[in-house]
Amino acid sequence: MRGTDGTRGPLFSYVDLEDRIPTHHPLRKIWQVVNDALASLDADFSAVYVD
């Protein structure tokens, strides 16, 4: 390719994910359910992994 390509956008985004998801979006409720489920399995995960 010859010359420079001035149409490229930035490769990385440094915007916080919390800023991208609206406060009342259903995804936030799903995150809470998943986090609670994983927290309840924490002891099981700890038993499987070696220090």
Side-chain angles (χ1 to χ4, degrees):
M1 183 157 116
R2 300 179 118 192
T4 58
D5 182 8
T7 61
R8 288 187 182 167
L11 181 60
F12 298 102
S13 174
Y14 296 103
V15 177
D16 187 21
L17 186 58
E18 292 292 326
D19 295 337
R20 290 184 174 232
I21 307 293
T23 305
H24 298 293
H25 194 280
L27 186 57
R28 290 189 178 271
K29 191 56 127 172
I30 294 170
W31 278 340
Q32 187 61 49
V33 170
V34 170
N35 284 338
D36 292 345
L38 290 174
S40 71
L41 293 170
D42 190 46
D44 295 328
F45 291 142
S46 294
V48 175
Y49 288 96
V50 180
D51 287 333

Short mmCIF file of all heavy atoms in Angstrom, two decimals:
data_model
loop_
_atom_site.label_atom_id
_atom_site.label_comp_id
_atom_site.label_asym_id
_atom_site.label_seq_id
_atom_site.Cartn_x
_atom_site.Cartn_y
_atom_site.Cartn_z
N MET A 1 0.84 -1.16 0.00
CA MET A 1 0.00 0.00 0.00
C MET A 1 0.89 1.23 0.00
O MET A 1 1.87 1.28 0.72
CB MET A 1 -0.90 -0.04 1.23
CG MET A 1 -1.87 1.08 1.29
SD MET A 1 -3.23 0.59 2.34
CE MET A 1 -3.07 1.73 3.64
N ARG A 2 0.56 2.20 -0.75
CA ARG A 2 1.37 3.42 -0.84
C ARG A 2 0.73 4.53 -0.03
O ARG A 2 -0.48 4.67 0.02
CB ARG A 2 1.49 3.85 -2.28
CG ARG A 2 2.14 2.80 -3.13
CD ARG A 2 2.21 3.28 -4.52
NE ARG A 2 3.63 3.34 -4.86
CZ ARG A 2 4.10 3.91 -5.92
NH1 ARG A 2 3.30 4.53 -6.75
NH2 ARG A 2 5.38 3.90 -6.18
N GLY A 3 1.56 5.31 0.61
CA GLY A 3 1.07 6.44 1.37
C GLY A 3 0.56 6.03 2.74
O GLY A 3 0.71 4.89 3.16
N THR A 4 -0.05 6.97 3.39
CA THR A 4 -0.57 6.69 4.73
C THR A 4 -2.07 6.52 4.69
O THR A 4 -2.76 7.09 3.84
CB THR A 4 -0.23 7.83 5.71
OG1 THR A 4 -0.78 9.04 5.21
CG2 THR A 4 1.28 7.99 5.86
N ASP A 5 -2.57 5.74 5.59
CA ASP A 5 -4.00 5.51 5.69
C ASP A 5 -4.52 6.32 6.87
O ASP A 5 -4.33 5.96 8.02
CB ASP A 5 -4.28 4.03 5.90
CG ASP A 5 -5.78 3.72 5.97
OD1 ASP A 5 -6.58 4.63 5.70
OD2 ASP A 5 -6.12 2.58 6.29
N GLY A 6 -5.18 7.42 6.59
CA GLY A 6 -5.67 8.30 7.65
C GLY A 6 -7.04 7.92 8.18
O GLY A 6 -7.58 8.59 9.04
N THR A 7 -7.62 6.82 7.69
CA THR A 7 -8.97 6.45 8.10
C THR A 7 -9.00 5.45 9.25
O THR A 7 -10.05 5.13 9.74
CB THR A 7 -9.76 5.86 6.93
OG1 THR A 7 -9.10 4.68 6.47
CG2 THR A 7 -9.90 6.86 5.80
N ARG A 8 -7.86 4.96 9.64
CA ARG A 8 -7.83 3.97 10.72
C ARG A 8 -8.14 4.61 12.07
O ARG A 8 -7.67 5.69 12.39
CB ARG A 8 -6.46 3.31 10.81
CG ARG A 8 -6.19 2.38 9.68
CD ARG A 8 -4.91 1.64 9.93
NE ARG A 8 -4.62 0.79 8.81
CZ ARG A 8 -3.47 0.20 8.61
NH1 ARG A 8 -2.49 0.39 9.45
NH2 ARG A 8 -3.29 -0.56 7.58
N GLY A 9 -8.92 3.90 12.84
CA GLY A 9 -9.23 4.34 14.19
C GLY A 9 -8.23 3.76 15.17
O GLY A 9 -7.35 2.97 14.79
N PRO A 10 -8.34 4.11 16.43
CA PRO A 10 -7.42 3.56 17.42
C PRO A 10 -7.64 2.06 17.59
O PRO A 10 -8.77 1.56 17.47
CB PRO A 10 -7.77 4.32 18.70
CG PRO A 10 -9.13 4.88 18.48
CD PRO A 10 -9.29 5.05 17.00
N LEU A 11 -6.57 1.35 17.88
CA LEU A 11 -6.64 -0.10 18.03
C LEU A 11 -7.25 -0.48 19.37
O LEU A 11 -7.98 -1.45 19.48
CB LEU A 11 -5.24 -0.70 17.90
CG LEU A 11 -5.12 -2.21 18.02
CD1 LEU A 11 -5.94 -2.91 16.94
CD2 LEU A 11 -3.67 -2.63 17.91
N PHE A 12 -6.95 0.27 20.41
CA PHE A 12 -7.43 -0.05 21.74
C PHE A 12 -8.38 1.02 22.24
O PHE A 12 -8.24 2.19 21.92
CB PHE A 12 -6.26 -0.18 22.72
CG PHE A 12 -5.32 -1.28 22.35
CD1 PHE A 12 -4.11 -0.99 21.73
CD2 PHE A 12 -5.63 -2.60 22.60
CE1 PHE A 12 -3.24 -1.99 21.39
CE2 PHE A 12 -4.77 -3.61 22.25
CZ PHE A 12 -3.56 -3.32 21.64
N SER A 13 -9.32 0.60 23.05
CA SER A 13 -10.26 1.54 23.66
C SER A 13 -9.98 1.59 25.16
O SER A 13 -9.91 0.54 25.81
CB SER A 13 -11.70 1.09 23.41
OG SER A 13 -12.59 1.92 24.11
N TYR A 14 -9.83 2.76 25.70
CA TYR A 14 -9.52 2.90 27.11
C TYR A 14 -10.70 3.46 27.90
O TYR A 14 -10.54 4.04 28.95
CB TYR A 14 -8.30 3.81 27.30
CG TYR A 14 -7.06 3.19 26.69
CD1 TYR A 14 -6.58 3.62 25.48
CD2 TYR A 14 -6.41 2.14 27.32
CE1 TYR A 14 -5.46 3.04 24.91
CE2 TYR A 14 -5.30 1.54 26.76
CZ TYR A 14 -4.82 2.01 25.55
OH TYR A 14 -3.72 1.43 24.99
N VAL A 15 -11.91 3.24 27.38
CA VAL A 15 -13.11 3.66 28.07
C VAL A 15 -13.52 2.55 29.04
O VAL A 15 -13.53 1.37 28.69
CB VAL A 15 -14.26 3.93 27.06
CG1 VAL A 15 -15.53 4.30 27.77
CG2 VAL A 15 -13.85 5.03 26.09
N ASP A 16 -13.83 2.92 30.25
CA ASP A 16 -14.24 1.96 31.26
C ASP A 16 -15.52 1.26 30.83
O ASP A 16 -16.46 1.89 30.34
CB ASP A 16 -14.44 2.68 32.59
CG ASP A 16 -14.70 1.73 33.74
OD1 ASP A 16 -14.36 0.53 33.63
OD2 ASP A 16 -15.25 2.19 34.75
N LEU A 17 -15.57 -0.04 31.01
CA LEU A 17 -16.75 -0.82 30.62
C LEU A 17 -17.99 -0.35 31.37
O LEU A 17 -19.09 -0.34 30.82
CB LEU A 17 -16.50 -2.30 30.89
CG LEU A 17 -17.56 -3.28 30.41
CD1 LEU A 17 -17.77 -3.15 28.92
CD2 LEU A 17 -17.18 -4.69 30.77
N GLU A 18 -17.84 0.05 32.61
CA GLU A 18 -18.96 0.56 33.40
C GLU A 18 -19.59 1.79 32.74
O GLU A 18 -20.78 2.02 32.87
CB GLU A 18 -18.51 0.90 34.81
CG GLU A 18 -18.12 -0.30 35.64
CD GLU A 18 -19.30 -1.19 35.98
OE1 GLU A 18 -20.41 -0.68 36.19
OE2 GLU A 18 -19.12 -2.41 36.03
N ASP A 19 -18.80 2.57 32.04
CA ASP A 19 -19.30 3.76 31.36
C ASP A 19 -20.06 3.43 30.08
O ASP A 19 -20.84 4.25 29.58
CB ASP A 19 -18.16 4.72 31.02
CG ASP A 19 -17.49 5.28 32.25
OD1 ASP A 19 -18.13 5.29 33.33
OD2 ASP A 19 -16.32 5.70 32.15
N ARG A 20 -19.86 2.25 29.55
CA ARG A 20 -20.49 1.87 28.28
C ARG A 20 -21.86 1.21 28.47
O ARG A 20 -22.67 1.20 27.55
CB ARG A 20 -19.59 0.92 27.51
CG ARG A 20 -18.36 1.60 26.98
CD ARG A 20 -17.55 0.63 26.16
NE ARG A 20 -16.46 1.35 25.55
CZ ARG A 20 -16.18 1.31 24.27
NH1 ARG A 20 -16.88 0.57 23.47
NH2 ARG A 20 -15.17 2.00 23.80
N ILE A 21 -22.09 0.61 29.64
CA ILE A 21 -23.34 -0.10 29.89
C ILE A 21 -24.26 0.80 30.71
O ILE A 21 -23.90 1.22 31.80
CB ILE A 21 -23.09 -1.41 30.67
CG1 ILE A 21 -22.04 -2.27 29.99
CG2 ILE A 21 -24.39 -2.18 30.85
CD1 ILE A 21 -22.44 -2.85 28.67
N PRO A 22 -25.45 1.12 30.20
CA PRO A 22 -26.38 1.96 30.96
C PRO A 22 -26.73 1.34 32.32
O PRO A 22 -26.71 0.12 32.49
CB PRO A 22 -27.62 2.03 30.07
CG PRO A 22 -27.15 1.70 28.70
CD PRO A 22 -26.00 0.76 28.88
N THR A 23 -27.07 2.19 33.26
CA THR A 23 -27.32 1.76 34.64
C THR A 23 -28.42 0.69 34.74
O THR A 23 -28.29 -0.26 35.50
CB THR A 23 -27.73 2.97 35.49
OG1 THR A 23 -26.71 3.97 35.37
CG2 THR A 23 -27.89 2.59 36.93
N HIS A 24 -29.47 0.82 33.97
CA HIS A 24 -30.60 -0.10 34.08
C HIS A 24 -30.63 -1.15 32.97
O HIS A 24 -31.69 -1.75 32.71
CB HIS A 24 -31.91 0.69 34.08
CG HIS A 24 -32.01 1.62 35.25
ND1 HIS A 24 -32.11 1.18 36.55
CD2 HIS A 24 -31.98 2.97 35.33
CE1 HIS A 24 -32.15 2.22 37.36
NE2 HIS A 24 -32.07 3.33 36.64
N HIS A 25 -29.51 -1.40 32.34
CA HIS A 25 -29.44 -2.39 31.27
C HIS A 25 -29.56 -3.80 31.86
O HIS A 25 -29.02 -4.08 32.92
CB HIS A 25 -28.10 -2.25 30.52
CG HIS A 25 -28.08 -2.98 29.22
ND1 HIS A 25 -27.85 -4.34 29.15
CD2 HIS A 25 -28.26 -2.55 27.95
CE1 HIS A 25 -27.89 -4.71 27.88
NE2 HIS A 25 -28.14 -3.65 27.14
N PRO A 26 -30.28 -4.71 31.20
CA PRO A 26 -30.45 -6.08 31.72
C PRO A 26 -29.13 -6.83 31.92
O PRO A 26 -29.04 -7.74 32.76
CB PRO A 26 -31.30 -6.77 30.66
CG PRO A 26 -31.93 -5.69 29.87
CD PRO A 26 -31.05 -4.49 29.98
N LEU A 27 -28.12 -6.47 31.18
CA LEU A 27 -26.83 -7.14 31.32
C LEU A 27 -26.26 -6.99 32.73
O LEU A 27 -25.62 -7.90 33.24
CB LEU A 27 -25.85 -6.57 30.29
CG LEU A 27 -24.49 -7.25 30.19
CD1 LEU A 27 -24.65 -8.73 29.89
CD2 LEU A 27 -23.65 -6.58 29.12
N ARG A 28 -26.53 -5.89 33.37
CA ARG A 28 -26.05 -5.69 34.74
C ARG A 28 -26.66 -6.70 35.70
O ARG A 28 -26.00 -7.19 36.61
CB ARG A 28 -26.33 -4.27 35.20
CG ARG A 28 -25.49 -3.25 34.47
CD ARG A 28 -25.63 -1.88 35.10
NE ARG A 28 -24.79 -0.92 34.45
CZ ARG A 28 -23.53 -0.68 34.79
NH1 ARG A 28 -23.00 -1.32 35.79
NH2 ARG A 28 -22.82 0.21 34.15
N LYS A 29 -27.93 -7.05 35.52
CA LYS A 29 -28.58 -8.05 36.36
C LYS A 29 -27.99 -9.43 36.11
O LYS A 29 -27.77 -10.21 37.03
CB LYS A 29 -30.09 -8.04 36.08
CG LYS A 29 -30.88 -8.84 37.06
CD LYS A 29 -30.64 -8.38 38.47
CE LYS A 29 -31.92 -8.07 39.16
NZ LYS A 29 -31.74 -7.79 40.57
N ILE A 30 -27.70 -9.72 34.84
CA ILE A 30 -27.09 -11.00 34.49
C ILE A 30 -25.71 -11.11 35.13
O ILE A 30 -25.35 -12.17 35.67
CB ILE A 30 -27.00 -11.15 32.95
CG1 ILE A 30 -28.41 -11.26 32.36
CG2 ILE A 30 -26.16 -12.37 32.57
CD1 ILE A 30 -28.46 -11.17 30.86
N TRP A 31 -24.93 -10.03 35.09
CA TRP A 31 -23.61 -10.04 35.74
C TRP A 31 -23.73 -10.38 37.22
O TRP A 31 -22.94 -11.15 37.76
CB TRP A 31 -22.94 -8.67 35.61
CG TRP A 31 -22.25 -8.43 34.32
CD1 TRP A 31 -21.83 -9.36 33.41
CD2 TRP A 31 -21.88 -7.16 33.79
NE1 TRP A 31 -21.25 -8.74 32.34
CE2 TRP A 31 -21.25 -7.40 32.54
CE3 TRP A 31 -22.03 -5.87 34.23
CZ2 TRP A 31 -20.77 -6.37 31.76
CZ3 TRP A 31 -21.54 -4.85 33.44
CH2 TRP A 31 -20.92 -5.10 32.22
N GLN A 32 -24.73 -9.82 37.89
CA GLN A 32 -24.91 -10.06 39.31
C GLN A 32 -25.24 -11.52 39.58
O GLN A 32 -24.70 -12.14 40.50
CB GLN A 32 -26.01 -9.16 39.88
CG GLN A 32 -26.13 -9.26 41.38
CD GLN A 32 -24.86 -8.83 42.09
OE1 GLN A 32 -24.30 -7.79 41.80
NE2 GLN A 32 -24.40 -9.64 43.02
N VAL A 33 -26.11 -12.11 38.76
CA VAL A 33 -26.48 -13.52 38.92
C VAL A 33 -25.26 -14.41 38.71
O VAL A 33 -25.00 -15.35 39.49
CB VAL A 33 -27.62 -13.90 37.94
CG1 VAL A 33 -27.85 -15.41 37.92
CG2 VAL A 33 -28.90 -13.16 38.32
N VAL A 34 -24.48 -14.12 37.68
CA VAL A 34 -23.28 -14.92 37.39
C VAL A 34 -22.25 -14.76 38.50
O VAL A 34 -21.66 -15.74 38.96
CB VAL A 34 -22.68 -14.52 36.02
CG1 VAL A 34 -21.32 -15.16 35.82
CG2 VAL A 34 -23.63 -14.92 34.91
N ASN A 35 -22.04 -13.54 38.96
CA ASN A 35 -21.08 -13.32 40.05
C ASN A 35 -21.50 -14.05 41.32
O ASN A 35 -20.66 -14.64 42.01
CB ASN A 35 -20.92 -11.82 40.34
CG ASN A 35 -20.07 -11.14 39.31
OD1 ASN A 35 -19.27 -11.77 38.62
ND2 ASN A 35 -20.24 -9.83 39.17
N ASP A 36 -22.78 -14.05 41.64
CA ASP A 36 -23.27 -14.77 42.82
C ASP A 36 -23.06 -16.28 42.66
O ASP A 36 -22.67 -16.97 43.61
CB ASP A 36 -24.75 -14.46 43.06
CG ASP A 36 -24.98 -13.03 43.50
OD1 ASP A 36 -24.00 -12.35 43.89
OD2 ASP A 36 -26.15 -12.58 43.43
N ALA A 37 -23.34 -16.79 41.46
CA ALA A 37 -23.16 -18.23 41.21
C ALA A 37 -21.69 -18.62 41.34
O ALA A 37 -21.36 -19.65 41.96
CB ALA A 37 -23.70 -18.59 39.83
N LEU A 38 -20.80 -17.82 40.77
CA LEU A 38 -19.37 -18.13 40.86
C LEU A 38 -18.87 -18.00 42.29
O LEU A 38 -18.02 -18.79 42.73
CB LEU A 38 -18.57 -17.21 39.93
CG LEU A 38 -18.77 -17.49 38.44
CD1 LEU A 38 -18.04 -16.43 37.61
CD2 LEU A 38 -18.29 -18.88 38.08
N ALA A 39 -19.38 -17.03 43.03
CA ALA A 39 -18.98 -16.88 44.44
C ALA A 39 -19.40 -18.09 45.25
O ALA A 39 -18.65 -18.55 46.14
CB ALA A 39 -19.58 -15.60 45.02
N SER A 40 -20.56 -18.66 44.96
CA SER A 40 -21.01 -19.84 45.70
C SER A 40 -20.18 -21.08 45.35
O SER A 40 -20.14 -22.04 46.11
CB SER A 40 -22.49 -20.11 45.44
OG SER A 40 -22.69 -20.57 44.13
N LEU A 41 -19.52 -21.08 44.21
CA LEU A 41 -18.68 -22.20 43.79
C LEU A 41 -17.21 -21.99 44.15
O LEU A 41 -16.37 -22.84 43.82
CB LEU A 41 -18.80 -22.39 42.27
CG LEU A 41 -20.17 -22.86 41.78
CD1 LEU A 41 -20.22 -22.78 40.26
CD2 LEU A 41 -20.46 -24.26 42.26
N ASP A 42 -16.88 -20.91 44.82
CA ASP A 42 -15.49 -20.57 45.12
C ASP A 42 -14.77 -21.68 45.89
O ASP A 42 -13.63 -22.02 45.58
CB ASP A 42 -15.43 -19.26 45.89
CG ASP A 42 -14.03 -18.73 46.01
OD1 ASP A 42 -13.31 -18.73 44.98
OD2 ASP A 42 -13.63 -18.33 47.12
N ALA A 43 -15.43 -22.26 46.87
CA ALA A 43 -14.80 -23.34 47.65
C ALA A 43 -14.51 -24.55 46.78
O ALA A 43 -13.46 -25.20 46.92
CB ALA A 43 -15.69 -23.72 48.82
N ASP A 44 -15.43 -24.86 45.85
CA ASP A 44 -15.21 -25.99 44.94
C ASP A 44 -14.03 -25.73 44.02
O ASP A 44 -13.21 -26.62 43.76
CB ASP A 44 -16.46 -26.25 44.11
CG ASP A 44 -17.64 -26.70 44.95
OD1 ASP A 44 -17.41 -27.37 45.98
OD2 ASP A 44 -18.79 -26.38 44.57
N PHE A 45 -13.92 -24.51 43.51
CA PHE A 45 -12.79 -24.15 42.65
C PHE A 45 -11.48 -24.22 43.43
O PHE A 45 -10.47 -24.71 42.92
CB PHE A 45 -12.97 -22.75 42.06
CG PHE A 45 -14.08 -22.64 41.06
CD1 PHE A 45 -14.88 -21.51 41.01
CD2 PHE A 45 -14.36 -23.66 40.16
CE1 PHE A 45 -15.89 -21.38 40.09
CE2 PHE A 45 -15.38 -23.55 39.23
CZ PHE A 45 -16.16 -22.40 39.19
N SER A 46 -11.48 -23.75 44.65
CA SER A 46 -10.27 -23.77 45.47
C SER A 46 -9.80 -25.20 45.74
O SER A 46 -8.60 -25.46 45.80
CB SER A 46 -10.51 -23.04 46.80
OG SER A 46 -10.74 -21.69 46.58
N ALA A 47 -10.73 -26.12 45.89
CA ALA A 47 -10.37 -27.51 46.15
C ALA A 47 -9.74 -28.18 44.93
O ALA A 47 -8.93 -29.10 45.06
CB ALA A 47 -11.62 -28.30 46.57
N VAL A 48 -10.08 -27.71 43.76
CA VAL A 48 -9.57 -28.31 42.51
C VAL A 48 -8.15 -27.82 42.19
O VAL A 48 -7.34 -28.59 41.67
CB VAL A 48 -10.53 -27.99 41.34
CG1 VAL A 48 -9.96 -28.48 40.02
CG2 VAL A 48 -11.88 -28.60 41.59
N TYR A 49 -7.85 -26.57 42.51
CA TYR A 49 -6.56 -25.98 42.14
C TYR A 49 -5.53 -26.20 43.24
O TYR A 49 -5.84 -26.17 44.42
CB TYR A 49 -6.71 -24.49 41.86
CG TYR A 49 -7.44 -24.23 40.57
CD1 TYR A 49 -8.80 -23.98 40.57
CD2 TYR A 49 -6.77 -24.28 39.36
CE1 TYR A 49 -9.48 -23.74 39.38
CE2 TYR A 49 -7.44 -24.06 38.17
CZ TYR A 49 -8.79 -23.79 38.19
OH TYR A 49 -9.46 -23.58 37.02
N VAL A 50 -4.29 -26.43 42.83
CA VAL A 50 -3.18 -26.64 43.74
C VAL A 50 -2.51 -25.28 44.00
O VAL A 50 -2.40 -24.45 43.12
CB VAL A 50 -2.16 -27.61 43.13
CG1 VAL A 50 -1.00 -27.85 44.06
CG2 VAL A 50 -2.84 -28.92 42.77
N ASP A 51 -2.04 -25.09 45.22
CA ASP A 51 -1.34 -23.85 45.56
C ASP A 51 -0.05 -23.70 44.81
O ASP A 51 0.74 -24.44 44.57
CB ASP A 51 -1.06 -23.75 47.05
CG ASP A 51 -2.36 -23.47 47.81
OD1 ASP A 51 -3.26 -22.88 47.22
OD2 ASP A 51 -2.43 -23.85 48.99
#
